């Protein structure tokens, strides 16, 4: 009978997730907040407490984190990471200063102690590369000159995770300074070693893994990833980082194939992870931390805008593009939850999980809006400031008349890929009228 | 005439961007996504940092567009076009074609059009120089060589339902 009740519970969770995902797709926002809310509804103090499937969901959540990081690693090649690190490290440093520090300060202000400060620093620091890449595509801004700047900041953050997560794991395990330093040294050596091997022998590794038959490729990649993740966890380096490094080491055909094959698995287990996070949070604990979460969200949204502005200015991009880059970076998402999840599992501070939940809920929803409206809003403000009269002139903001690629090649809106088309369409239509005054890019002289 | 320079920018996690500045100082770029699709971007003339139009194209759409952009435009079915006035094309036999399951000889292709069928492509492999008793099947692709008119007539014959 135990199996039956596990099936019933799992089935109902996954079915509800699917329905929530469809709802999110219809209104064009990321399903992540809905999964979190779904978890809150099922969990302790929620509507339908689960009992039988708890263990499976917990393991599934761990696998979800590993797969999330593996897929992230597959997105990048080792060469990507190294070139970005060389070219953009000041932007990465500013990003860290502007966005990790407020999180740490907030934790200290709340009196949660240094370990929670390190956790919250990570939560506010890492932007959601999944949400942001999707938003840029939907807004038709992938070709913009500020986009490489945005993407390289995301790459640096992801690379920084490979250093940050081991430190966090050591801290959460309550390791002392010496043990922590040893762990960090191991982690850095491993990451450096993997990067070096991937740069030198990436093709050999990929050839070993690569296989024409999808089934074999899936089994080899998944097995290798879980094995490395497990060993990394044994070494106190953090399973997620092990998976990330496997993703980095794979390139070319093997990475392409693995990406296609593992996407559905990632979607399933990552959804389970978000639910699990919601499950381990008591809904009643959220209202008390709502105000701090809101304040933190406002502050760190502004600091992200400043980060993007600074990085784009450094890359020699004009003012419009600087604001666009700033707005695009606001969204936080899956990795803030991954970081908070580690802390919740370790059970350091009861308020941390609810705060992170509320924080991510706010920013994953407002992030895409910030990406869309930061630049027009700033210009509107500038006009208001410039006009000496009390009444602002109703001049259309010269926002980017991005044409949404709704539906067109938008893929099957996966877990980390909300389809923003329907929501943005009206706004974009307005913008398009504003751009009608521009000279028509299509009507150039036609020479045969 | 200077050869236009194409700038390459890596977009980590997205793909590669190829940018071009035209002789009229307009910006164009193409993003090659890793799944084979492409994004074609046209930039504002007054804000060259941002796209005014951005089109997502599938693999096939971009191939068709590239064909239209090539100086000597031809249809995607064309394999080769030499100066002697002969063309080689791929012609499909659809499942609803009247030749599905019939013999190659029954099409009277060479008699009527002067075009030669030099090979038949199937999933199982290619059949070079098929004889008149070769049995066609839906899904086959015929490689036909002849004059432009001959190949067009052959396409008309093969297209019969």
């Amino acid at each position: 009978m135990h199996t039956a009740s596990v099936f019933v519970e799992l089935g109902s969770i996954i079915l509800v997730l699917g329905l929530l995902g469809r709802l999110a797709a219809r209104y064009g926002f990321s399903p992540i907040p809905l999964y979190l809310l779904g978890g809150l509804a099922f969990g302790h103090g929620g509507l339908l407490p689960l009992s039988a499937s708890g263990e499976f969901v917990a393991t599934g959540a761990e696998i979800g984190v590993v797969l999330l990081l593996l897929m992230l690693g597959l997105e990048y090649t080792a060469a990507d990471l190294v070139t970005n690190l060389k070219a953009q490290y000041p932007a990465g440093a500013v990003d860290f200063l502007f966005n990790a520090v407020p999180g740490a300060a907030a934790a200290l202000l709340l009196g949660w102690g240094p370990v929670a400060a390190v956790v919250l620093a990570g939560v506010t620091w890492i932007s959601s590369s999944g949400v942001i890449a999707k938003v840029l595509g939907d807004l038709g801004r992938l070709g913009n000159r500020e986009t490489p700047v945005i993407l390289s900041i995301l790459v640096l953050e992801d690379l920084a995770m490979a250093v940050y997560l081991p430190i966090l794991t050591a801290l959460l395990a309550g390791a002392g300074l010496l043990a922590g330093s040893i762990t960090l040294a191991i982690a850095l050596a491993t990451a450096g070693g993997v990067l070096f091997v991937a740069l030198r022998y990436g093709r050999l590794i990929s050839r070993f893994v690569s296989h024409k038959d999808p089934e074999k490729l899936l089994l080899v990649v998944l097995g290798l990833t879980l094995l490395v993740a497990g060993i990394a966890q044994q070494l106190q380096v953090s399973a997620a980082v092990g998976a990330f490094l496997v993703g980095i080491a794979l390139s070319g055909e093997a990475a392409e194939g693995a990406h296609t094959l593992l996407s559905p698995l990632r979607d399933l287990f990552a959804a389970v992870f978000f639910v699990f996070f919601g499950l381990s949070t008591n809904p009643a604990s959220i209202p008390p931390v709502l105000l701090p979460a809101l304040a933190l969200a406002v502050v760190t949204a502004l600091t992200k805008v400043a980060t993007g502005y600074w990085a784009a200015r450094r890359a020699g991009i004009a003012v419009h593009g600087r604001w666009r880059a700033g707005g695009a970076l606001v969204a936080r998402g899956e990795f803030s939850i991954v970081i908070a999840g580690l802390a919740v599992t370790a059970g350091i501070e009861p308020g941390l999980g609810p705060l992170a939940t509320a924080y991510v809920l706010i920013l994953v929803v407002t992030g895409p809006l910030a990406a869309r409206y930061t630049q027009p809003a700033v210009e509107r403000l500038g006009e208001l400031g410039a006009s000496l009269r009390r009444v602002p002139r109703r001049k259309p903001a010269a926002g980017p008349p991005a044409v949404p690629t709704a539906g067109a090649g938008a893929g099957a809106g996966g877990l980390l890929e909300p389809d923003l088309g329907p929501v943005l369409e009206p706004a974009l239509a307005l913008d398009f009228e504003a751009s009608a005054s521009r000279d028509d890019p299509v009507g150039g002289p036609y020479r045969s | 005439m200077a050869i236009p320079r194409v700038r390459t920018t890596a977009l980590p996690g997205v793909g590669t961007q190829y940018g071009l500045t035209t002789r009229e100082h307009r910006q164009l770029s193409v993003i090659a996504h890793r799944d084979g699709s492409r994004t074609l971007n046209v930039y504002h003339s007054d804000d060259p940092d941002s796209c005014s139009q951005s089109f997502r194209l599938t693999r096939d759409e971009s191939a068709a567009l590239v064909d239209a952009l090539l100086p000597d435009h031809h249809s995607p079915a064309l394999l080769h076009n030499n100066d002697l006035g002969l063309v080689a094309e791929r012609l499909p036999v659809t499942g609803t074609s009247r030749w599905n399951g019939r013999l190659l000889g029954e099409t009277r292709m060479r008699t009527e059009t002067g075009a030669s069928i030099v090979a038949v492509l199937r999933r199982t492999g290619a059949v070079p120089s098929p004889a008149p008793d070769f049995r066609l099947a839906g899904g086959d692709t015929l490689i036909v060589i002849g004059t432009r008119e001959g190949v067009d007539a052959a396409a008309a014959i093969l297209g019969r339902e």
Side-chain angles (χ1 to χ4, degrees):
Chain A
M1 278 317 289
H2 178 72
T3 314
S5 50
V6 170
F7 280 179
V8 168
E9 284 184 7
L10 273 184
S12 47
I13 293 178
I14 293 172
L15 182 63
V16 167
L17 288 184
L19 296 175
L20 288 174
R22 283 176 64 166
L23 189 75
R26 163 173 285 186
Y27 293 105
F29 55 87
S30 162
I32 295 172
L34 289 181
Y35 295 158
L36 286 171
L37 291 172
L40 285 174
F42 277 115
H44 302 295
L47 306 172
L48 293 166
L50 298 173
S51 51
S53 58
E55 202 175 321
F56 180 87
V57 171
T59 313
E62 298 277 343
I63 295 175
V65 173
V66 165
L67 286 177
L68 270 172
L69 268 291
L70 169 72
M71 298 298 275
L72 190 67
L74 287 176
E75 292 284 340
Y76 307 127
T77 61
D80 271 344
L81 294 179
V82 175
T83 46
N84 275 293
L85 193 58
K86 276 183 188 159
Q88 297 286 350
Y89 70 90
V94 166
D95 182 34
F96 171 76
L97 274 180
F98 280 14
N99 300 295
V101 172
L108 294 175
L109 281 175
L110 289 164
W112 286 353
V115 177
V118 173
V119 175
L120 207 54
V123 170
T124 55
W125 175 20
I126 311 284
S127 291
S128 165
S129 36
V131 172
I132 290 171
K134 181 74 181 117
V135 168
L136 289 176
D138 285 336
L139 290 173
R141 288 195 198 163
L142 280 177
N144 284 15
R145 261 192 62 209
E146 76 270 7
T147 298
V149 177
I150 297 168
L151 293 176
S152 57
I153 286 181
L154 296 178
V155 173
L156 290 177
E157 284 178 358
D158 297 337
L159 189 56
M161 292 268 281
V163 179
Y164 168 84
L165 284 175
I167 297 178
L168 185 65
T169 322
L171 283 173
L172 291 174
L177 191 61
L178 181 67
S181 310
I182 292 172
T183 303
L184 183 59
I186 292 177
L188 283 176
T190 318
V194 168
L195 274 180
F196 177 77
V197 169
L199 276 175
R200 272 291 169 86
Y201 307 107
R203 261 180 304 153
L204 289 178
I205 302 170
S206 300
R207 198 179 305 162
F208 163 72
V209 170
S210 194
H211 198 281
K212 279 199 287 290
D213 183 10
E215 184 190 343
K216 317 286 187 295
L217 181 67
L218 174 72
L219 294 178
V220 168
V221 173
L222 194 60
L224 185 69
T225 306
L226 289 176
L227 182 67
V228 172
I231 293 172
Q233 191 77 333
Q234 290 282 347
L235 292 173
Q236 292 280 320
V237 173
S238 141
V241 171
F244 179 67
L245 293 174
V246 171
I248 296 291
L250 293 179
S251 59
E253 251 179 58
E256 282 297 314
H259 197 276
T260 318
L261 286 170
L262 288 164
S263 283
L265 267 183
R266 187 265 322 261
D267 290 354
L268 169 65
F269 283 109
V272 169
F273 165 70
F274 293 126
V275 168
F276 177 71
F277 189 80
L279 285 178
S280 51
T281 307
N282 188 342
S285 60
I286 287 195
V289 295
L290 206 52
L291 266 179
L294 193 61
L296 195 56
V298 170
V299 170
T300 53
L302 293 174
T303 52
K304 270 289 179 196
V305 172
T307 306
Y309 187 94
W310 188 90
R313 194 182 69 180
R314 187 173 162 270
I317 284 156
V319 175
H320 292 307
R322 294 175 201 170
W323 289 114
R324 279 196 299 267
L329 283 168
V330 169
R332 312 291 202 286
E334 60 278 19
F335 294 106
S336 302
I337 297 289
V338 167
I339 292 164
L342 290 172
V344 169
T345 317
I348 54 160
E349 172 61 49
L352 199 57
L355 178 68
T357 309
Y359 175 81
V360 169
L361 283 177
I362 295 166
L363 281 183
V364 79
V365 174
T366 53
L369 298 174
R372 170 78 194 80
Y373 292 110
T374 299
Q375 185 227 344
V378 167
E379 282 182 14
R380 197 59 69 83
L381 286 173
E383 278 176 30
L384 282 176
S387 65
L388 297 170
R389 289 169 303 163
R390 284 291 153 89
V391 189
R393 280 172 298 130
R394 303 294 293 161
K395 208 173 92 177
V403 178
T405 51
L415 170 70
L416 305 173
E417 304 181 340
D419 189 2
L420 292 164
V423 161
L424 296 170
E425 205 108 43
L428 292 163
L430 288 176
D431 231 2
F432 205 63
E433 289 166 10
S435 73
S437 59
R438 295 181 190 283
D439 48 345
D440 183 10
V442 187
Y446 190 81
R447 293 192 184 77
S448 50
Chain B
M1 180 70 209
I3 295 172
R5 269 195 53 237
V6 174
R7 296 176 307 278
T8 307
T9 318
L11 296 180
V14 176
T16 312
Q17 182 177 5
Y18 303 100
L20 177 75
T21 309
T22 66
R23 216 174 31 164
E24 295 162 338
H25 305 290
R26 293 301 304 268
Q27 302 281 343
L28 276 173
S29 80
V30 172
I31 296 169
H33 294 268
R34 299 168 45 190
D35 59 0
S37 64
R38 297 283 184 268
T39 305
L40 177 66
N41 301 301
V42 183
Y43 291 78
H44 290 303
S45 51
D46 53 357
D47 179 6
D49 287 354
S50 76
C51 305
S52 59
Q53 296 278 5
S54 177
F55 302 92
R56 190 74 183 255
L57 304 171
T58 63
R59 203 186 277 264
D60 296 344
E61 286 163 348
S62 13
L65 186 64
V66 164
D67 254 338
L69 289 171
L70 281 176
D72 47 352
H73 167 63
H74 54 64
S75 74
L78 193 73
L79 292 167
H80 184 69
N81 188 353
N82 67 6
D83 300 336
L84 303 171
L86 285 180
V87 291
E89 274 201 25
R90 296 164 203 250
L91 299 177
V93 178
T94 59
T96 56
S97 166
R98 69 179 289 181
W99 309 114
N100 183 356
R102 300 198 182 194
L103 298 180
L104 184 58
E106 293 176 55
T107 61
R108 301 175 42 89
M109 181 89 71
R110 185 162 331 175
T111 320
E112 302 220 352
T113 67
S116 299
I117 297 168
V118 292
V120 178
L121 307 181
R122 263 192 193 165
R123 250 169 230 229
T124 48
V127 181
S129 316
D133 61 355
F134 179 86
R135 197 170 286 285
L136 294 168
D140 285 351
T141 301
L142 275 50
I143 308 286
V144 181
I145 292 188
T147 58
R148 178 76 267 172
E149 297 77 17
V151 171
D152 285 348
I157 290 176
L158 281 174
R160 284 181 199 160
E161 297 288 305

